[in-house]
Amino acid sequence: MKKIVSILMLATVLFAGTAFAADPIVGSWKLNVAKSKFSTGQELKASTRVYTEANGVYTLEQKLTGADGKETSFHVQYSDGKDMKQEAGGPVDMTHAKKVDANTWNFDLKKDGNFVGHVHRVVSADGKTLTVHNTGMMVSGVTGDQTLVFDKQ
């Protein structure tokens, strides 16, 4: 009996260790419209973000619903310290990501080799809130300054 309990405790510790090591951004997030601040004309009714990670490359799948009810979605990939090309035809064609600490990332956005915007992203210490501050080029293709607040799902 002691051997079984010991094995179960060891398994619990090992699985808990991998859970605690997971990046806090990975998972699903829902926009908290009431806590967010939008650039004029860039208001959103809803937004969801799903972050995944594989071999140091992160993927963001985002869906947005504008104040007019129009839905937009986009796909972004990034990796720490690297320039990564983005989907053709969007307002941004290159993203440079820099991990500041376990919960904070900065992103420089480029179009045709020119800097067009910056994103500062922070996951709260408890892992329940994501705050994204965008300056410069927005997804819609216009410039602005907004702070989006998301709740972990």
Side-chain angles (χ1 to χ4, degrees):
M1 184 65 172
K2 284 185 178 181
K3 189 174 186 178
I4 292 172
V5 171
S6 295
I7 291 171
L8 288 173
M9 288 183 68
L10 179 61
T12 301
V13 169
L14 291 174
F15 287 118
T18 57
F20 289 119
D23 192 307
I25 194 65
V26 173
S28 299
W29 300 86
K30 182 178 178 184
L31 181 67
N32 185 325
V33 175
K35 291 183 180 179
S36 298
K37 297 177 184 170
F38 304 98
S39 298
T40 303
Q42 300 299 304
E43 296 84 359
L44 297 173
K45 287 170 62 172
S47 179
T48 58
R49 289 179 171 220
V50 178
Y51 290 91
T52 57
E53 183 272 334
N55 301 319
V57 176
Y58 292 82
T59 301
L60 163 61
E61 299 287 343
Q62 184 168 11
K63 293 182 181 179
L64 308 142
T65 305
D68 60 1
K70 183 179 176 187
E71 292 186 4
T72 308
S73 62
F74 66 94
H75 168 93
V76 174
Q77 288 192 306
Y78 61 93
S79 186
D80 187 23
K82 298 181 181 174
D83 281 345
M84 292 194 72
K85 290 187 179 195
Q86 303 304 323
E87 293 178 341
V92 173
D93 58 20
M94 185 77 67
T95 301
H96 181 85
K98 180 67 180 152
K99 187 173 188 173
V100 176
D101 60 38
N103 292 20
T104 308
W105 285 73
N106 286 318
F107 302 87
D108 287 332
L109 311 176
K110 300 176 185 177
K111 179 73 171 183
D112 299 325
N114 297 311
F115 174 84
V116 295
H118 181 77
V119 176
H120 179 74
R121 188 189 76 199
V122 179
V123 176
S124 63
D126 65 5
K128 295 180 181 180
T129 305
L130 167 63
T131 304
V132 181
H133 184 219
N134 300 318
T135 54
M137 189 63 65
M138 303 289 130
V139 174
S140 63
V142 300
T143 59
D145 186 340
Q146 62 186 13
T147 301
L148 306 177
V149 179
F150 293 83
D151 298 317
K152 185 86 175 221
Q153 299 301 292

